[in-house]
Amino acid sequence: MRAFTRTYVTAAVAVAALVLTGCTAPNSGAAPATPAANASDVPDKPSAPVTLNILDVAGNQKLTGPMVDAFVAANPDVISAVTWESAGAPDLVGSIKPQVDSGSLSIDMVMTGTDGLSAGIGQNLWVPLVTDYGDRLSNQEDYIEPAANMQKLAEGFGVVTTYYPSGPLLQYDPAVVTDVPTTPEEVLAWAQANPGKFGYARPANSGPGRTFLQGLPYILGDSDPTDPVDGWDKTWAYLKELGLTINNYPTGTGQVITNMADGTWSMIPTTTGWDIEPRATAKMPASIEAAPFDDFTWVTDAHYAVVPQGQTADKMSAILLLLQDILTPETNAMAYDTGYFYPGPAIEGATLDKAPQASQDVIAEFGRDWYDDLIEEMPKAAPLVPAALVQAFDIWDREVGSGKFEAK
């Protein structure tokens, strides 16, 4: 998932940007605020409006930023201002762990995908939000079924805010790819006949790369698509052979889009959102086409809100109120955005007609008329559980991508 580099400030008065490389909290001359000892210490409403500092490692600001704006505008007595910073998911633990260990938080909430969620769970960085505060997040009862399944992956630590079926799909330049592959075997044959013209990004840094990695075991018929260590023999063999045709793996999906836009590559694995949004925002020619595999399983994806351990009672109160509002149909429908996470909403009733008109117009022009039927028809599977996902990334880095990407 993409990581934006801009800083976004929600408030009448701008708040100074955070410095992620340090461990010092804002107003470092003052003593750190006392963290909430337990759930009973968290009030229904903050004692005074708080400033929230949000770190986005999933490009999620694009979807939830307007939701946060709307809440802040309607509830200035809860949140006075919000700052956003962005970073890559692989950098997340290095940024947050020193803050948690020192008890001095400069980041109050993180918006992440399954990658950052998994890494933080492994390092015991997150507050068990749902476990401790589930009764204050009652709108989770309105998750659509696949989003509810994604919520299970959070193991009680994160809250799903947006959802999409993801992929894997194929995207291609119709001027170059005239006989569109419909199976992984046909993709391999095309890549071998056109070396250097097919590619994807390092899965640990890329939503489409991660989806392609996890979708292949279902398509190839591996013995256990949920076990990358002992159940992916066909997938690892396939990716190694496919890798012989690939010169390098970008460490971000943005470069993949650039490669397609400038003709460096002519075919890539993609997802619904990465097909729609780059064409809608002119990062990629509108003429680029997409196609499904003949027989595949959607590997679903989601964004999560997580809170670093050691949060104060007032800020925790504000975060819970914010998340409860995000999980309402009227607010969650903003997730349609420019198709980046299509469809995007995680909540029942958050339909396209409730989305801003600009979103409705984008989907009408750049959506695919076969997407919705395909989403309904094809089976869906949740991605790997956090520990298995980390294992899959490690195996790919060592056995497939080694020497062809620059690890951060």
Side-chain angles (χ1 to χ4, degrees), residues 9-15 46 48-52 71-73 75-83 315 318:
V9 182
T10 304
V13 180
V15 179
V50 303
T51 294
L52 287 186
F71 182 85
V72 173
N75 298 275
D77 56 335
V78 175
I79 299 176
S80 58
V82 174
T83 69
K315 289 199 175 187

Side-chain angles (χ1 to χ4, degrees), residues 199-331:
Y200 62 100
R202 180 192 184 204
N205 297 84
S206 167
R210 183 162 61 250
T211 300
F212 182 54
L213 175 67
Q214 295 176 88
L216 282 172
Y218 293 96
I219 306 174
L220 294 172
D222 260 317
S223 60
D224 186 354
T226 68
D227 184 356
V229 176
D230 298 316
W232 284 20
D233 290 349
K234 294 178 181 179
T235 293
W236 294 126
Y238 175 84
L239 288 173
K240 290 173 187 176
E241 189 171 3
L242 182 63
L244 298 176
T245 73
I246 298 173
N247 298 323
N248 65 84
Y249 299 96
T251 53
T253 315
Q255 186 60 50
V256 174
I257 300 305
T258 298
N259 288 353
M260 282 293 289
D262 66 16
T264 300
W265 290 350
S266 298
M267 186 162 61
I268 58 172
T270 193
T271 66
T272 56
W274 278 101
D275 170 44
I276 296 173
E277 199 267 351
R279 292 182 297 112
T281 55
K283 298 184 186 76
M284 180 186 289
S287 59
I288 295 296
E289 291 287 351
F293 289 98
D294 271 351
D295 185 15
F296 77 104
T297 294
W298 292 104
V299 177
T300 59
D301 201 357
H303 287 136
Y304 299 83
V306 294
V307 176
Q309 293 272 11
Q311 190 53 271
T312 66
D314 273 351
K315 289 199 175 187
M316 183 61 72
S317 174
I319 288 169
L320 292 170
L321 291 168
L322 171 62
L323 293 177
Q324 179 77 337
D325 184 73
I326 285 174
L327 300 182
T328 60
E330 294 74 19
T331 302

Side-chain angles (χ1 to χ4, degrees), residues 71-378:
F71 182 85
V72 173
N75 298 275
D77 56 335
V78 175
I79 299 176
S80 58
V82 174
T83 69
W84 289 83
E85 288 290 335
S86 63
D91 304 322
L92 177 59
V93 169
S95 295
I96 299 297
K97 192 174 190 306
Q99 299 179 30
V100 171
D101 289 348
S102 67
S104 184
L105 299 182
S106 61
I107 294 297
D108 299 311
M109 184 167 68
V110 179
M111 295 297 193
T112 181
T114 54
D115 43 10
L117 170 73
S118 304
I121 290 174
Q123 294 291 321
N124 193 32
L125 297 182
W126 311 135
V127 171
L129 273 175
V130 180
T131 302
D132 289 357
Y133 302 99
D135 59 332
R136 299 174 66 167
L137 296 167
S138 59
N139 287 339
Q140 288 190 310
E141 296 174 1
D142 298 324
Y143 280 140
I144 58 176
E145 183 179 356
N149 290 335
M150 292 298 296
Q151 179 59 43
K152 294 175 183 176
L153 289 180
E155 299 177 5
F157 290 96
V159 172
V160 167
T161 58
T162 59
Y163 156 83
Y164 83 136
S166 192
L169 305 168
L170 290 174
Q171 198 174 45
Y172 63 95
D173 181 351
V176 178
V177 183
T178 55
D179 188 9
V180 182
T182 60
T183 67
E185 292 80 9
E186 290 177 359
V187 169
L188 176 61
W190 188 92
Q192 290 172 332
N194 301 272
K197 301 299 286 183
F198 175 90
Y200 62 100
R202 180 192 184 204
N205 297 84
S206 167
R210 183 162 61 250
T211 300
F212 182 54
L213 175 67
Q214 295 176 88
L216 282 172
Y218 293 96
I219 306 174
L220 294 172
D222 260 317
S223 60
D224 186 354
T226 68
D227 184 356
V229 176
D230 298 316
W232 284 20
D233 290 349
K234 294 178 181 179
T235 293
W236 294 126
Y238 175 84
L239 288 173
K240 290 173 187 176
E241 189 171 3
L242 182 63
L244 298 176
T245 73
I246 298 173
N247 298 323
N248 65 84
Y249 299 96
T251 53
T253 315
Q255 186 60 50
V256 174
I257 300 305
T258 298
N259 288 353
M260 282 293 289
D262 66 16
T264 300
W265 290 350
S266 298
M267 186 162 61
I268 58 172
T270 193
T271 66
T272 56
W274 278 101
D275 170 44
I276 296 173
E277 199 267 351
R279 292 182 297 112
T281 55
K283 298 184 186 76
M284 180 186 289
S287 59
I288 295 296
E289 291 287 351
F293 289 98
D294 271 351
D295 185 15
F296 77 104
T297 294
W298 292 104
V299 177
T300 59
D301 201 357
H303 287 136
Y304 299 83
V306 294
V307 176
Q309 293 272 11
Q311 190 53 271
T312 66
D314 273 351
K315 289 199 175 187
M316 183 61 72
S317 174
I319 288 169
L320 292 170
L321 291 168
L322 171 62
L323 293 177
Q324 179 77 337
D325 184 73
I326 285 174
L327 300 182
T328 60
E330 294 74 19
T331 302
N332 210 240
M334 295 180 190
Y336 279 99
D337 189 56
T338 52
Y340 161 60
F341 218 59
Y342 185 81
I347 296 298
E348 291 279 1
T351 48
L352 183 58
D353 61 295
K354 291 185 176 69
Q357 187 60 50
S359 295
Q360 297 183 43
D361 293 344
V362 165
I363 301 306
E365 182 174 358
F366 295 99
R368 308 285 186 186
D369 58 11
W370 45 271
Y371 269 171
D372 290 348
D373 288 343
L374 199 68
I375 290 170
E376 288 297 318
E377 292 170 6
M378 302 306 289

